[in-house]
Every structure is written in structure tokens, then in C-alpha cells.
Amino acid sequence: MKKLRNKIDSAIIGAKCRLMEKREGSDQLIVMFIIIAVAAGIAGLLYIFGKDTLLPNIQNKLTTLINQWFNHA
């Protein structure tokens, strides 16, 4: 019985050590996800700002440019 308890204790200690062990590259993944999240936030803010100010202006310019191409052809 004592041997069984020692084996179970050593298995539990081994599992805890493996869980607490620092894995290589995990910090890099976290930093990469943070960079992606920040970039997505900035892109979202730029879209919110640009859809009211820049997009109608660009859309009008493209429409007139395309109309000029087909009217001169």
C-alpha cells in the first residue's frame, strides 16, 4: 500500500512539474497575438474614421474616373 501511495505521489509531483514547466516559444506566441490584436484595433479605428470621411470622396473620384474611361472610348 505504501508503494502504491509513493507511486501516486511521484506521479502527481511529476505532472505538476510538467504543467509548471516553461515551454519554449509561448512568450513569442503571446506577443504575436497582442500585436495582431493591436493592429486589428487600429485598423478598426481607421475604418470607422475613414468610412465617413475618406470613402465617399474616393468612391466619387473612382466613379467619375470610370465614367470618363467609358465615355471617351
Side-chain angles (χ1 to χ4, degrees), residues 2 8 20 28 36 45-46 55-56 58 61 65 70 72:
K2 194 173 188 178
I8 292 173
M20 298 301 288
Q28 294 169 349
I36 291 171
L45 289 174
L46 287 175
L55 287 179
I58 292 172
K61 286 183 180 180
L65 181 65
F70 286 110
H72 289 283

Side-chain angles (χ1 to χ4, degrees), residues 4-73:
L4 180 62
R5 191 177 340 145
N6 286 340
K7 285 184 180 182
I8 292 173
D9 285 342
S10 65
I12 290 172
I13 291 171
K16 282 183 182 180
C17 288
R18 279 187 234 111
L19 284 175
M20 298 301 288
E21 184 178 283
K22 184 144 178 90
R23 291 184 175 86
E24 190 174 323
S26 63
D27 291 341
Q28 294 169 349
L29 285 173
I30 292 170
V31 169
M32 183 180 68
F33 285 131
I34 290 172
I35 290 172
I36 291 171
V38 169
I42 291 172
L45 289 174
L46 287 175
Y47 175 74
I48 289 171
F49 171 74
K51 76 176 182 177
D52 294 333
T53 57
L54 299 174
L55 287 179
N57 190 18
I58 292 172
Q59 184 178 6
N60 289 337
K61 286 183 180 180
L62 285 176
T63 303
T64 56
L65 181 65
I66 291 172
N67 286 339
Q68 287 175 355
W69 285 345
F70 286 110
N71 286 338
H72 289 283

